[in-house]
Amino acid sequence: MSDVLQQQIIVEDDRTGTHVETLKRAILDNLFYIAGRFPANATSLDYYTALAYTVRDRLLRRWLETLENNLDRDARVVCYLSAEFLMGPHLKNNILNLGIGEPLEQALTELGLDLDEISSQEEEPGLGNGGLGRLAACYLDSLATLGIPSVGYGIRYEFGIFDQEIRDGWQVEITDKWLRLGNPWEIRRPQSAVKVGFAGHTEAGTGVDGKYRVRWIPAVEIKGVPYDTPVLGYEGRSAGNLRLWASEAAESFQFDRFNTGDYQGAVAEKVFSENITKVLYPNDEGIQGKQLRLQQQYFFVSCSLQDMIRVHLRQGRSLDTFHQKWTIQMNDTHPSIAVAELMRLLMDEHGMGWEAAWEITRQALAYTNHTLLPEALERWPLPLFSELLPRHMEIINEINARFLQEVRSRFPGDEGLIQRVSLIDERGERYVQMAKLACVGSHHINGVAALHSQLLKTEVLHDFNTLWPEKFVNVTNGVTPRRWVALSNPDLTALISSRIGAKWIGDLERLRDLEQHVDDAEFRSDWMKVQYATKVRLAAYIREKTSALVNPATMFDVLVKRIHEYKRQHLNVLHIAALYFHLKRNPGLAIAPRTFLFGGKAAPGYYMAKLIIKLITSVGETIDNDPEVRDRLKVVFLPDYNVSLGQRVYPAADLSEQISLAGKEASGTGNMKFAMNGAVTIGTLDGANVEIREEVGPENFFLFGMTTQEVMARKAAGYSPSDYYHSNGILREVIDAVSNGVFSRGDNAMFQPLLRSLLDRDEYMLFADFQPYVDCQARVSEAYLDVDRWSRMSILNTARSGKFSSDRSIRDYSRLIWHVDGFKAPSLAES
C-alpha cells in the first residue's frame, strides 16, 4: 500500500478545524469574504482581520457550548461590575488558550506570513488606567479557566485611556482611537438594548394592588447597547463573557427638527447620549466632569442589572430567587450605585416591598475595596446627585435612615459614630458617600492584600467592621500566568516546562517543583541566558521606539506603574541622582552598571505627576550628556505604557521597584508579574509586597523603609521633612542640585513645586525613607555582581510565586464570598 493511501484522511469544518491545511483555507476564506481582499493586494492589517476571524470562529464554538452547559447545570453566575477592563491584545492570548499555536504558525509560514508582524496590527483596547482594569481582565481569564459561569459588565468607551507621547520630557496626551479600524472580537447585540433614565422627578401614589408606589419620570432616556466579547479559558475548556455597554440615543435623528432647519437640534439627542460612553474617566475637576462621570457609572450599572433581571425572568424564575442565581461583585466604588439601583428596579419596576428588596440586594451584592487613600473613596455633591438621580437619592435617604436607626439601637448615645457612618456627609457641603453605601448594601467587603484588609478593618472602614465584623474578608490579588508568563515570556516558559512539564500554566503552585533544580549549575546558566536574550529583545524595541541605546548586559532596574506621588517614582529618581554624584566623585567605584526603566501615565489634570515624569527624563538627559557616567548609568522613560509594553518589560526586568510608602498601596499586581518572571523585588512592607516576601523568602527580597505602624507613629509625633534635609548630606546635595537647575538646563524654577511639596509636607515621607533606600540599593548592586547568587534568587522568586495566580484569587472569592463551583469541560485537544 502506498504512503499516500496509508495517510489518515482528515475532514474538518473550516470554521472549527485546527489542522494546518484547514487553518490555511480558513485564513484565505476570511481574507476574501471578510476583509474583501485577494492575497496579491492584501496588507498586514487585512491578514490580521482574516486571522482574527479564523481564531474567533474556533473560540465561538467553545463559548456557545459553555453557555449551553451552564444553562443545563442551572449554575449560579458571577457578575463582575467594573468601570475598567484592561484586556490587552486578544489575538495571541486566544491562540494560546485554544492551544493551536504550532499548527497556526506552520499555516502562516506556508502562506508566507509572520505571526508577530500580523499581531502587531492589533489595536489594544485602552479600557482602563492600570491595575484595577488589568485585575478585572485577569479575573475574567481565571473565571473562564476554572469553569465558573461569569459575565464581566463594563463600559465600551469609544476613546480609551489616552495614548502618551513624551515631548521635551513632558507627557502629552493623544486621543486613543482604538475603534477606528473596527474590533473583530466583539459581537453587537442591539436586540438586548435597555433604556436608562436621568434627571426628571418622582411621583408617589397607590398602585392597583393598593400598595404605596413611587414612579420615576426621567427627563432624559438613553439606550444602552451591549457588545459581547468571548473570554476563553486556558486549554479552551470553557469561556466567559465580557459585556460592555455603549450609549446611544433612543431616537438618534429628529426628522421634524431637521426639516425646519434646526440641523443641530436634529442630532442633539444623539450627541448627548453618545457622550456618556465617549471617553474613559473624563476630567472631573469641574462640575460638568463630575456629572459625566456619575452618568457613566449609573449608566453601566443600570444596564447590567436590567440585563440580569431580564435573563432571570426569561428563564421563568421568580425575582424572589434573584440572589440565589446571581452573585454581583462591585470592583471598587465606581459601581456602588448598584445598591440603590437594584432596590429601585425591584421595588418600582417589579412591585416588590422594601424588606424583600433589601434582603435580596444585600444577598446579591459584594464590595471589593481597592484603596487606602481617603480621596479615592468616591463621594458626590448632594445637589448634583439629587438632580441627576432623584429617585436614587430618595432610596439612599431611606436606606440611611433605617441604617442609622439600627446603629442607634445598638450603640445608644454615640452620635459620633452616627456621624461617621452616615451615608450623607453633613459637614459643610453635603455629599453622598459611595463607599459607605457599598458597605451597607453588601453581604461581604474584601480588601485585596492581607495588610490592606487589616488596615480597612482598623482604619479606613473601622466603624463598619465594628458593626459587621463577619462581613470583612481578605482576598489577595492575583494575575493570570497565561498572559503574564506563558504568552509574555515564551523562552522562560519553554525552559520551565522542559524541567517540570507544562501543567504549571494551569496550576501555578506546581512551580515549586523548580526548587529542586536551583542547585543545578547548568539550569541556572540556562536561566540567565534566557533572561539575557529577553533583555536583548527589549533593548532592540527601546531603540526602535525611543532611539535610546540600552546595554542588555546592565542590570535592568524597572519601575512601571501609574504615576502618582504615593507610588514614589521620585524617590527612585532621587536615588539615581545620588548615585550619579557618587560616581562623579568616585569614578573607580565597583558597582553594577544599571539601566533604569520607567513607564506609566499621569492623569491629565495631575500636574505634580507630570512634573515627576519631567524630572525622570531630565535626570536621564543629564546622565546621557555626561561621558564619565553614561556607560554605567542609563535612564529611559518608556512612553505609552500599556499591556502590550508590559508583556515586553516584565520578562526583561532584573529588579522590580515596589517602593510606595507603607500603608498606601492596597496590593499592587505588577509586583506579582515581576516575581513570576524571575525579577527580584526591592520594596517596602506595603500591599502584597508583604506576602511576596513571605512566599519567596526574606533572603530573596530587598526590604527597606518604615512599617505602617512606624509611619503612623512618626506622623503622630510631628513629621518634619526639613530635619532630614538638613541632617543628611547626600539628600541635601540631590535636592539642592534639582533646585539649582543641574537637571533642568539651568532652569531653577522648573521643579520648585515638587521640591516645595517635599520640603514643606512630604506627605509620602520620601525623605524619611531616602537613606534606607539608598543603603538597600547598595546591597542590590553587591548581590547582582554575584551571578550565582542572583540566579538563585531569580529562580526562587519564580518558583515561589504560585500564590499570586489569579486562579487562587478566584478560588478564594468562590469559597469565601460567592459560594460557586466551577465546571471543566474537556479541553479542545481532548474533545
Side-chain angles (χ1 to χ4, degrees), residues 608-660:
M608 206 67 81
K610 289 185 170 182
L611 197 57
I612 290 172
I613 293 176
K614 177 60 176 175
L615 180 61
I616 293 167
T617 59
S618 296
V619 170
E621 179 186 78
T622 300
I623 292 173
D624 275 349
N625 290 332
D626 191 331
E628 295 178 2
V629 178
R630 64 189 178 202
D631 291 334
R632 306 181 72 184
L633 297 181
K634 182 79 176 179
V635 179
V636 178
F637 190 93
L638 303 172
D640 203 31
Y641 187 75
N642 55 16
V643 174
S644 301
L645 184 50
Q647 290 177 203
R648 297 177 182 271
V649 170
Y650 290 116
D654 293 305
L655 186 69
S656 162
E657 298 267 359
Q658 307 298 330
I659 59 176
S660 53

Side-chain angles (χ1 to χ4, degrees), residues 56-191:
R56 195 184 85 162
D57 285 343
R58 283 136 188 87
L59 167 60
L60 288 178
R61 170 194 165 192
R62 182 55 86 190
W63 185 48
L64 294 173
E65 287 175 350
T66 300
L67 294 175
E68 187 175 33
N69 287 336
N70 291 339
L71 286 173
D72 291 343
R73 292 193 302 122
D74 194 25
R76 195 179 195 202
V77 181
V78 173
C79 298
Y80 200 79
L81 300 184
S82 181
E84 301 183 26
F85 283 96
L86 199 56
M87 299 300 292
H90 291 279
L91 178 60
K92 284 190 173 181
N93 197 65
N94 283 327
I95 292 171
L96 171 71
N97 284 342
L98 283 166
I100 60 172
E102 289 187 13
L104 189 61
E105 289 213 47
Q106 185 179 339
L108 291 170
T109 299
E110 293 182 13
L111 291 172
L113 303 170
D114 178 71
L115 178 58
D116 289 338
E117 166 61 25
I118 292 174
S119 64
S120 69
Q121 304 301 309
E122 182 171 5
E123 283 283 343
E124 179 174 325
L127 305 182
N129 185 33
L132 185 76
R134 188 50 237 172
L135 180 78
C138 285
Y139 282 177
L140 292 189
D141 174 277
S142 288
L143 283 161
T145 295
L146 297 174
I148 297 171
S150 59
V151 183
Y153 281 110
I155 300 176
R156 185 182 181 267
Y157 302 100
E158 182 179 346
F159 302 112
I161 184 68
F162 59 87
D163 291 335
Q164 179 195 57
E165 292 184 3
I166 302 298
R167 298 178 188 170
D168 191 28
W170 293 95
Q171 170 179 292
V172 176
E173 298 95 30
I174 308 297
T175 304
D176 172 23
K177 302 175 183 177
W178 73 281
L179 284 170
R180 72 186 190 281
L181 299 174
N183 177 13
W185 303 104
E186 65 183 8
I187 301 171
R188 190 172 189 265
R189 305 286 197 189
Q191 71 278 11

